[in-house]
Amino acid sequence: MSDPTPGAVMRGAVDLSSLRSRAAAPAPATGAEARNGAPSLVFDATDESFGQVLELSRTVPVVVDLWAEWCGPCRQLSPILEKVVVELGGRLVLAKVDVDANPQLAQGFRAQSIPMVVALVAGQPVPLFTGAVAEQQVREVFAQLLQLAAQHGVTGTVPVGEAAPDADEPAETALPPLHQEAFDAIEAGDYARAVTAYEQALAQDPRDEQARAGLGQVRLLQRVQGVDLQQARDAAASAPLDVDAQFAVADLDIAGGHVDDAFARLLDLFAQLPADERAPVRERLLELFGLVGDGDARVIRARGSLASLLF
């Protein structure tokens, strides 16, 4: 698995070797209690049970939500993750990991900030995102995860029983037509069509923040599609002031979850370039800030660094 898109293996970022040797079971028996006589799509995972989760990922993609009780953004994100997983009807499952109660998993995933969301495909860790993100972004990233899983033969599903309808629960609101078109295009791997759909949505409503966030995400996916990570790093190392070469690696780092590395690379480039050549780098930094989230601590630090270089 060498594709560096959200779907790429975390090279060196995760060490699950200490957890692989734990006894594995053929079904998500730990924490995945039966609901309506069928396995649950959302379950708790622990240091002791994670070998079973790794084994399950050979059949169906497993999304791992690393969270804690004290984490406000976690409480915002978790219901979104659960909702989207349930809507996908067993095509993937969600394993919730309380980092305070499971220090081995927190260390293995190198969870320096939470919420942190990764996935497992055929026992291999896959970076998704950190921080609370919008529901539309979650849908888009999960669509990419399913594509990646299919490429590696992980196409199973978890059978789920029919839940009794909740009279108090409001009916689900359908996506706006252009958002749905973008989502369908992403699932098909047609990023150009998704970009067009989001651009049209923004033209109709410039205040559509979900469309703006989705556009940033899909543009990133479009830029990193088919790019070889090692070749990109070699090109950037041999030409430290080549803006396009540095952009390529920064994009790959963002897609792979290495946000601080991406920001540091572009800030260093910005500092070294002549003043009249800096504008594209500043624009790319601002775009990536918006993609990660203005409230993210890494964005706040990087904005401060950029401001110090401007004045």
Side-chain angles (χ1 to χ4, degrees):
M1 296 171 67
S2 59
D3 185 354
T5 64
V9 175
M10 284 176 158
R11 297 173 182 82
V14 173
D15 180 10
L16 301 181
S17 57
S18 64
L19 299 159
R20 291 185 185 279
S21 60
R22 299 187 184 275
T30 59
E33 296 84 359
R35 296 179 185 174
N36 302 306
S40 172
L41 299 178
V42 180
F43 56 91
D44 295 326
T46 66
D47 288 345
E48 291 72 25
S49 71
F50 205 71
Q52 297 173 351
V53 179
L54 286 169
E55 186 64 21
L56 176 63
S57 75
R58 302 183 186 282
T59 301
V60 61
V62 179
V63 176
V64 182
D65 175 21
L66 293 111
W67 67 284
E69 289 285 354
W70 48 263
C71 171
C74 298
R75 291 194 296 271
Q76 297 174 15
L77 179 64
S78 288
I80 295 174
L81 297 177
E82 294 178 17
K83 175 185 177 184
V84 177
V85 165
V86 169
E87 288 176 358
L88 288 170
R91 296 174 65 195
L92 49 76
V93 296
L94 177 64
K96 299 178 65 64
V97 175
D98 182 338
V99 296
D100 290 338
N102 300 282
Q104 284 184 286
L105 282 173
Q107 182 178 6
F109 281 108
R110 298 186 184 178
Q112 297 180 352
S113 64
I114 56 174
M116 175 181 178
V117 182
V118 299
L120 298 167
V121 174
Q124 295 296 316
V126 176
L128 297 182
F129 50 84
T130 56
V133 302
E135 181 176 326
Q136 183 64 20
Q137 289 178 270
V138 172
R139 294 180 184 279
E140 292 162 357
V141 173
F142 283 7
Q144 290 299 306
L145 173 61
L146 289 169
Q147 280 191 338
L148 176 87
Q151 291 170 11
H152 295 277
V154 180
T155 57
T157 59
V158 172
V160 181
E162 292 295 328
D166 186 349
D168 296 328
E169 184 175 343
E172 182 183 347
T173 304
L175 287 174
L178 287 170
H179 287 241
Q180 185 64 55
E181 181 178 343
F183 180 68
D184 293 342
I186 291 167
E187 281 200 312
D190 189 347
Y191 300 140
R193 182 161 63 93
V195 166
T196 299
Y198 280 133
E199 287 177 340
Q200 290 175 350
L202 282 169
Q204 291 180 5
D205 181 5
R207 296 171 298 177
D208 187 341
E209 291 304 321
Q210 286 196 342
R212 192 174 305 280
L215 179 60
Q217 181 75 21
V218 77
R219 280 177 171 166
L220 175 67
L221 296 175
Q222 191 177 38
R223 291 198 299 264
V224 301
Q225 187 178 31
V227 178
D228 182 271
L229 177 61
Q230 192 55 55
Q231 288 181 5
R233 291 199 182 280
D234 290 345
S238 64
L241 296 183
D242 184 316
V243 173
D244 289 337
Q246 303 307 319
F247 280 180
V249 177
D251 282 342
L252 291 166
D253 280 341
I254 290 288
H258 307 295
V259 175
D260 283 329
D261 291 343
F263 290 166
R265 177 178 295 276
L266 295 186
L267 287 167
D268 287 345
L269 176 63
F270 186 90
Q272 295 179 62
L273 288 174
D276 60 349
E277 297 179 15
R278 289 177 165 182
V281 182
R282 179 178 177 275
E283 290 172 4
R284 178 58 60 86
L285 275 165
L286 294 177
E287 178 183 343
L288 296 180
F289 290 166
L291 190 60
V292 175
D294 289 336
D296 190 285
R298 296 162 298 183
V299 171
I300 294 170
R301 288 195 300 269
R303 280 191 184 278
S305 299
L306 179 60
S308 69
L309 293 171
L310 286 169
F311 302 105

